[in-house]
Amino acid sequence: MHGWSGRILRIDLSRQKTSITAIDPAILKDFIGGRGLAIKILWDELPRGVDPFSPYNKLVFAVGPLSGMPLPSSGKMIVASKSPLTGGYGDGNVGTMASVHLRKAGYDAIVIEGKARKPVYIYIEDDKVEIRDAEHLWGLDTFAAEDKLVEEHGKNVGILLIGPAGEHLVRYATVISMKGRSGGRPGMGAVMGSKKLKAIVIKGTKEPSVADPEKLREEAKKAYEEVLKAEGYDFWVRQGTMMTINWSNENSVLPTMNYREGVWEYYDRISGDLMEKIKIKRRGCPYCNMQCGNVVIDDIGEESELDYENVAMLGSNILLPDLRRVAELNKLCDKLGLDTISMGNVLGFLMEASDRGLIDEKIGWGDYKAAKQLIIDTAYRRGLGYLAAEGVRTLSRHLGKEAEEFAIHVKGLEVSAYDCHTAPGMALAYGTSPIGAHHKDAWLIGLEVKMDRFSYDRVKVEKLLFLQRVRGGMFESLTTCRLPWVELGVNLEHYPKMLSYITGVTYTLDDIYTVGDRIYNLIRAFWIREYGWWDRALDYPPIRWFKHPLTKGPFTGAKLDINKYDKMLSLYYELRGWDENGVPREDTLRKLGLDYVVPVIKEIIG
Ligand code: PTT
Ligand code: SF4
């Protein structure tokens, strides 16, 4: 077989056993890899209704045929599991040398189950797999632990690890790599922590088999060149995702004061332009020639790598107008292994709760010292941090009805950094994202602000489906970075070609979109199976955008309309082949080869 190794490395931490199993080639063809392979494994293997922190939950690290190959921006990997934050399917995409090494070690995925009695880490060197003692690493932050592992194993390895937040089961703890790459927003780091697994170190020395290396090289060369020649290349390497701060403020979608507003008078104190002035270097993922990690020196003199989401959530959303301080909070999250988007949401939520007198603690807007302390307390689950570690859905239920109106999440996952009072299409993208509110599957807002942004038209719903197919289906299963296409317009046609040259199986873009639909339907079925019920209200965006109109900026008074949203949601369901409650119809499942899902759905929904 070319392109795939056809092997899963299985590690049972309860029994301290490792094994390698073969994957049916038909599964690989139908699901490609990454997110596709992950959901197939979780659907097939998890006991229904499993507690995410139980030893029976499984944690999957999966690559795809394009991951870690010498192709544009390919150094990515999926980490997936049943989420302790949402109770549904959770995954994240992390840029890491571990993707290169996993390919070279000859595995398509690592599946971890069970729970170690004492802290451990896993060392993988091709077929040699060892579960090793990690007492000396437990308790260390991700930077210090990575340093120790590099001391022990040298630099030529890929390392994935958790920080104190993962160890303390913070429900939005992530998996960190390469001192600043983070993946798995819906608590994948907490699942790792529940298994007492501190780190995975991978060293691969074999070359993945490629069906047509010559054609692949040519195609990759063309794509790399397109990146360099792209009109936006120079600005991209100067600012990367940080250019979005100005854009979001101009378009009134910058999350401000816990998504109360979409504009902020101090946006220029956290902007990409300001970042450029204090930037000291660039970093990025393997095989990338448009590296977008912008490194600055933070308020306490340490290096911190900035991205738009981090800065908006820890800046405008909590009203902190100081980029170096924002950078410090961001770095703290990386060290502790906390998702910056959820953490910024939780901070904004608690600042508002404090403002309204719903909690005893005083946490003022923009209070950097209080924010810093709360981040630390959350990672260690101390004081108010104990509840903060549960996420805004649980926090709001704890505080009552008033608080639920300003809890900014979908299905329990905190919303990423785009306010949607004036963007119904993006609200639908959040509502229907397969992991809870996240922008990665469909950044519809970029197109939306260029059209009639207040409309709830069919064209937006169709565009949403297209984006979900490309971003959520294709890039997450290949698995490779989507930014060459999104940001620099690299031709999408390169991707089916590269996939075909690597695997020897001919794929067109349409074939890959069908794979995307298969993945989406299986993920939706997984949510329904794990919840044991389903209702369309689960696909609604946060209540605030319907109830609290903007009070500032060019769109003062704007809010979403629930009836119009409902119509748009119904159309989305129709185009997906789902019923009025968002449940996949039998014929849709059968058409996609998901016959085995039908009886499970019938049993739950009737
Ligand atoms: C992603 C989410 C994002 S999306 C950001 S910034 W972004 C935040 N980054 C965090 C961070 O950093 N540290 C931290 N402690 N928490 C963080 N939480 C947030 O996590 C990331 C890039 C970016 S930067 C984006 S948009 C693109 N995302 C891709 C994706 O999802 N799929 C894909 N095929 N390609 C992508 N390319 C881009 O990758 P999650 P990374 Mg990320 C420090 O993980 O769970 O998917 O959430 O992986 O290697 O850091 O690259 O403005
Ligand atoms: Fe990583 Fe940025 Fe390159 Fe994508 S564009 S691979 S996120 S460095």
Side-chain angles (χ1 to χ4, degrees):
M1 187 163 28
H2 300 292
W4 296 282
S5 62
R7 304 195 313 165
I8 295 179
L9 172 61
R10 293 180 178 277
I11 299 166
D12 183 336
L13 293 174
S14 297
R15 295 187 178 80
Q16 301 274 302
K17 287 231 158 72
T18 69
S19 61
I20 295 167
T21 54
I23 317 174
D24 179 351
I27 292 179
L28 293 169
K29 189 167 169 288
D30 280 359
F31 288 91
I32 300 180
R35 172 183 267 182
L37 189 53
I39 181 58
K40 178 69 174 134
I41 291 169
L42 296 173
W43 174 270
D44 285 348
E45 300 184 13
L46 287 196
R48 188 163 150 183
V50 69
D51 177 342
F53 288 148
S54 122
Y56 299 106
N57 191 14
K58 298 191 182 188
L59 184 62
V60 181
F61 294 89
V63 284
L66 268 63
S67 313
M69 301 289 287
L71 316 166
S73 309
S74 69
K76 293 276 188 182
M77 169 189 267
I78 296 291
V79 46
S81 188
K82 178 168 175 180
S83 161
L85 184 63
T86 67
Y89 172 78
D91 73 15
N93 188 307
V94 57
T96 168
M97 273 310 290
S99 68
V100 181
H101 283 283
L102 190 60
R103 293 298 314 273
K104 293 193 171 188
Y107 305 104
D108 295 318
I110 306 173
V111 178
I112 302 191
E113 62 188 293
K115 176 182 175 166
R117 255 182 255 128
K118 290 188 304 184
V120 295
Y121 79 97
I122 294 166
Y123 180 75
I124 301 164
E125 190 174 331
D126 296 335
D127 283 359
K128 180 171 111 182
V129 183
E130 292 172 359
I131 301 169
R132 296 187 175 187
D133 181 75
E135 292 286 5
H136 63 304
L137 301 172
W138 201 254
L140 294 184
D141 71 43
T142 61
F143 284 51
E146 182 160 339
D147 283 344
K148 277 222 173 307
L149 286 166
V150 168
E151 259 172 45
E152 286 169 38
H153 298 287
K155 280 191 177 157
N156 186 24
V157 290
I159 301 175
L160 301 154
L161 71 178
I162 58 166
E167 296 173 12
H168 290 89
L169 311 186
V170 177
R171 288 180 193 270
Y172 43 93
T174 58
V175 175
I176 303 281
S177 191
M178 297 171 68
K179 296 189 172 177
R181 309 267 112 201
S182 161
R185 290 196 53 218
M188 303 302 99
V191 175
M192 196 159 154
S194 75
K195 299 191 175 306
K196 287 258 180 296
L197 177 60
K198 179 71 181 180
I200 303 177
V201 181
I202 312 170
K203 185 169 183 169
T205 62
K206 301 177 273 191
E207 279 312 313
S209 153
V210 171
D212 193 335
E214 192 47 45
K215 281 204 172 132
L216 180 66
R217 236 188 326 270
E218 278 169 28
E219 201 64 33
K221 187 166 174 269
K222 281 188 216 156
Y224 270 127
E225 281 169 3
E226 266 181 49
V227 167
L228 297 178
K229 285 186 195 144
E231 205 186 312
Y233 177 81
D234 289 340
F235 192 48
W236 173 259
V237 292
R238 274 168 43 203
Q239 294 206 357
T241 59
M242 281 293 290
M243 65 169 81
T244 317
I245 294 279
N246 283 7
W247 181 89
S248 287
N249 195 63
E250 273 160 26
N251 288 291
S252 201
V253 297
L254 184 69
T256 303
M257 210 179 171
N258 193 30
Y259 297 81
R260 190 67 198 78
E261 310 294 345
V263 291
W264 192 36
E265 65 264 45
Y266 300 118
Y267 76 95
D268 56 343
R269 298 196 191 170
I270 59 165
S271 70
D273 297 339
L274 178 60
M275 182 278 300
E276 266 196 76
K277 292 189 188 135
I278 60 172
K279 175 172 165 176
I280 55 159
K281 61 181 170 191
R282 278 202 291 147
R283 295 181 68 214
C285 313
Y287 291 123
C288 180
N289 68 337
M290 50 181 281
Q291 299 216 326
C292 67
N294 291 302
V295 182
V296 301
I297 299 296
D298 70 13
D299 207 46
I300 52 167
E302 290 190 12
E303 291 184 4
S304 173
E305 192 179 323
L306 298 179
D307 265 303
Y308 166 72
E309 302 286 333
N310 312 328
V311 173
M313 295 313 301
L314 298 167
S316 54
N317 198 50
I318 64 168
L319 305 191
L320 177 55
D322 182 330
L323 190 57
R324 286 193 198 271
R325 286 186 163 179
V326 171
E328 188 191 339
L329 300 185
N330 169 59
K331 171 77 173 271
L332 193 55
C333 288
D334 283 349
K335 281 183 161 178
L336 296 169
L338 282 165
D339 176 51
T340 50
I341 296 177
S342 289
M343 193 68 240
N345 256 281
V346 167
L347 291 172
F349 174 88
L350 287 172
M351 285 172 180
E352 183 156 356
S354 172
D355 213 9
R356 289 169 179 253
L358 296 176
I359 55 174
D360 296 334
E361 291 81 354
K362 292 277 165 263
I363 315 161
W365 289 108
D367 183 341
Y368 141 85
K369 276 200 182 136
K372 187 173 167 183
Q373 191 57 49
L374 198 50
I375 291 173
I376 296 167
D377 288 347
T378 300
Y380 292 93
R381 281 188 176 265
R382 291 180 198 135
L384 182 60
Y386 189 89
L387 255 188
E390 297 289 300
V392 297
R393 179 166 68 177
T394 302
L395 263 170
S396 68
R397 286 178 181 164
H398 191 76
L399 297 182
K401 270 258 161 297
E402 182 184 342
E404 284 180 42
E405 285 194 6
F406 61 88
I408 313 298
H409 70 91
V410 176
K411 302 182 189 74
L413 183 66
E414 289 76 14
V415 173
S416 21
Y418 302 95
D419 182 84
C420 292
H421 280 89
T422 57
M426 189 67 209
L428 184 66
Y430 281 139
T432 59
S433 149
I435 60 167
H438 195 40
H439 62 291
K440 79 165 147 202
D441 283 71
W443 195 69
L444 192 62
I445 203 159
L447 299 162
E448 190 164 32
V449 298
K450 291 187 201 148
M451 43 172 85
D452 175 3
R453 60 188 294 173
F454 294 102
S455 85
Y456 294 71
D457 287 350
R458 183 182 186 98
V459 57
K460 289 190 181 174
V461 183
E462 284 172 349
K463 205 76 208 181
L464 170 61
L465 252 90
F466 169 71
L467 290 177
Q468 289 182 336
R469 281 180 179 132
V470 177
R471 296 167 61 120
M474 185 172 98
F475 284 109
E476 298 312 292
S477 58
L478 286 178
T479 298
T480 181
C481 181
R482 62 170 186 261
L483 297 184
W485 172 67
V486 172
E487 300 293 345
L488 300 183
V490 165
N491 196 333
L492 270 189
E493 290 290 348
H494 290 302
Y495 293 94
K497 284 188 188 159
M498 291 192 286
L499 178 61
S500 305
Y501 300 149
I502 291 174
T503 61
V505 179
T506 306
Y507 285 93
T508 62
L509 268 179
D510 280 339
D511 295 333
I512 304 181
Y513 297 161
T514 303
V515 173
D517 287 347
R518 187 174 294 121
I519 293 170
Y520 260 64
N521 277 273
L522 193 54
I523 291 180
R524 175 53 62 126
F526 181 88
W527 279 88
I528 296 169
R529 184 183 77 178
E530 296 310 303
Y531 272 40
W533 59 281
W534 202 252
D535 187 272
R536 60 187 288 131
L538 287 163
D539 292 333
Y540 285 177
I543 305 169
R544 159 153 280 175
W545 295 336
F546 295 112
K547 279 207 150 181
H548 302 164
L550 293 176
T551 67
K552 291 198 177 125
F555 303 116
T556 296
K559 62 182 168 83
L560 297 180
D561 179 317
I562 184 85
N563 295 323
K564 290 182 183 166
Y565 180 86
D566 248 330
K567 277 195 193 134
M568 206 167 52
L569 183 60
S570 292
L571 178 60
Y572 174 85
Y573 290 159
E574 190 189 317
L575 298 181
R576 275 239 169 261
W578 295 354
D579 73 12
E580 263 301 291
N581 258 326
V583 177
R585 294 187 193 281
E586 183 173 341
D587 61 329
T588 306
L589 293 170
R590 292 201 191 280
K591 229 171 23 209
L592 293 166
L594 298 173
D595 303 67
Y596 48 89
V597 172
V598 174
V600 181
I601 297 292
K602 272 196 178 154
E603 193 195 321
I604 296 167
I605 305 294

